[in-house]
Amino acid sequence: MDVFEAVAEPSRRTLLDLLAQGELAAGDLVAALPGLTQPAVSRHLRILREVGLVEVRPDGQRRIYALRPDGLAEIDKWLGRYRRYWARHLDSLERHLARNQEGHQE
């Protein structure tokens, strides 16, 4: 499985969203996804770890998960091709809104 396949699954995206706020213990991640069993959350975390999106460290009996700083680099690189596209369209939208705002001020 690659990074793109990993983030295609909604529960894994939810886990990434939670970890974007800071590191969390496995138990806290399980509690945040009440629709999933502990083994299911563990499988999702294992996949995220295997593709390099998260890292885990022991803390006594707990396992603490965190985003890997470079984990999303592959997705960021892929999205980079499309940023120019959106920047041009956002610039056009900004000009359009400015023209409309000027017309309404008269």
Side-chain angles (χ1 to χ4, degrees):
M1 181 175 300
D2 68 10
V3 173
F4 295 98
E5 289 175 288
V7 299
E9 205 287 326
S11 295
R12 290 193 284 268
R13 286 195 308 272
T14 298
L15 289 168
L16 291 172
D17 288 343
L18 291 166
L19 292 171
Q21 299 170 34
E23 59 181 35
L24 290 167
D28 295 330
L29 293 167
V30 170
L33 294 166
L36 295 179
T37 64
Q38 184 275 326
V41 173
S42 292
R43 281 192 299 275
H44 288 309
L45 289 168
R46 179 182 47 80
I47 289 168
L48 292 172
R49 193 177 68 248
E50 288 174 355
V51 300
L53 292 172
V54 301
E55 56 192 10
V56 62
R57 66 176 170 79
D59 181 37
Q61 296 295 320
R62 303 179 327 154
R63 296 177 63 75
I64 307 297
Y65 285 85
L67 286 180
R68 287 192 59 220
D70 59 342
L72 295 170
E74 185 177 354
I75 293 174
D76 185 56
K77 182 179 175 184
W78 181 78
L79 286 172
R81 292 182 265 172
Y82 301 95
R83 282 191 184 98
R84 292 185 306 272
Y85 170 80
W86 283 109
R88 284 193 307 267
H89 282 76
L90 290 174
D91 289 344
S92 294
L93 176 60
E94 186 177 359
R95 286 190 300 274
H96 172 76
L97 292 174
R99 282 191 306 269
N100 282 346
Q101 184 65 25
E102 290 168 7
H104 285 74
Q105 291 178 355
E106 294 175 8

